[in-house]
Amino acid sequence: MSKKIISDETRNILLKKVEEFNQNELTKYNSFKIEIRGKFIYLKLNGEPRCRLKYDGEINSLGFAIYKYSSGAYDPEEFFFPGMGYVNGTIEGAMKASLEVYPV
């Protein structure tokens, strides 16, 4: 059995941050969800992809890649988009940035 890249403790912290953001920033009809695969954390809003975060051992230093509907892929090289100023390595910053790119 292989070791998890993102521990259960870190996963629970991320889930709590997303839940708090949903309660404080969104309506009950909209909510972010995360899906974790390996070292990647996929953020979806109402089932639609928004961005992908890369975990390298620090929960407040996550790599960021915006989802581009034009290509159907995540682009870690895209640095010029509305909301880029929110990208600060945190999951909260990623959610704020993605809401600027793709408003609800």
Side-chain angles (χ1 to χ4, degrees), residues 78-97:
E78 181 65 52
F79 297 112
F80 301 104
F81 58 86
M84 186 61 200
Y86 290 113
V87 176
N88 62 1
T90 68
I91 196 165
E92 296 92 344
M95 289 186 283
K96 287 179 183 179

Side-chain angles (χ1 to χ4, degrees), residues 45-83:
L45 182 68
N46 302 329
E48 297 292 322
R50 294 302 175 116
C51 59
R52 180 187 71 199
L53 305 172
K54 183 178 176 187
Y55 178 76
D56 284 326
E58 270 300 317
I59 199 166
N60 290 315
S61 185
L62 302 167
F64 180 87
I66 194 71
Y67 184 80
K68 293 174 77 172
Y69 283 92
S70 60
S71 65
Y74 296 93
D75 187 354
E77 302 299 318
E78 181 65 52
F79 297 112
F80 301 104
F81 58 86

Side-chain angles (χ1 to χ4, degrees), residues 9-26 31-34 41 43 53 55 58-62 88-96:
E9 179 183 2
T10 299
R11 178 187 182 90
N12 289 337
I13 291 168
L14 291 168
L15 287 169
K16 183 175 181 177
K17 288 176 180 280
V18 170
E19 183 181 308
E20 288 173 358
F21 187 90
N22 287 338
Q23 290 175 354
N24 295 329
E25 303 291 333
L26 298 173
S31 63
F32 277 102
K33 300 278 190 233
I34 61 171
I41 303 154
L43 273 170
L53 305 172
Y55 178 76
E58 270 300 317
I59 199 166
N60 290 315
S61 185
L62 302 167
N88 62 1
T90 68
I91 196 165
E92 296 92 344
M95 289 186 283
K96 287 179 183 179

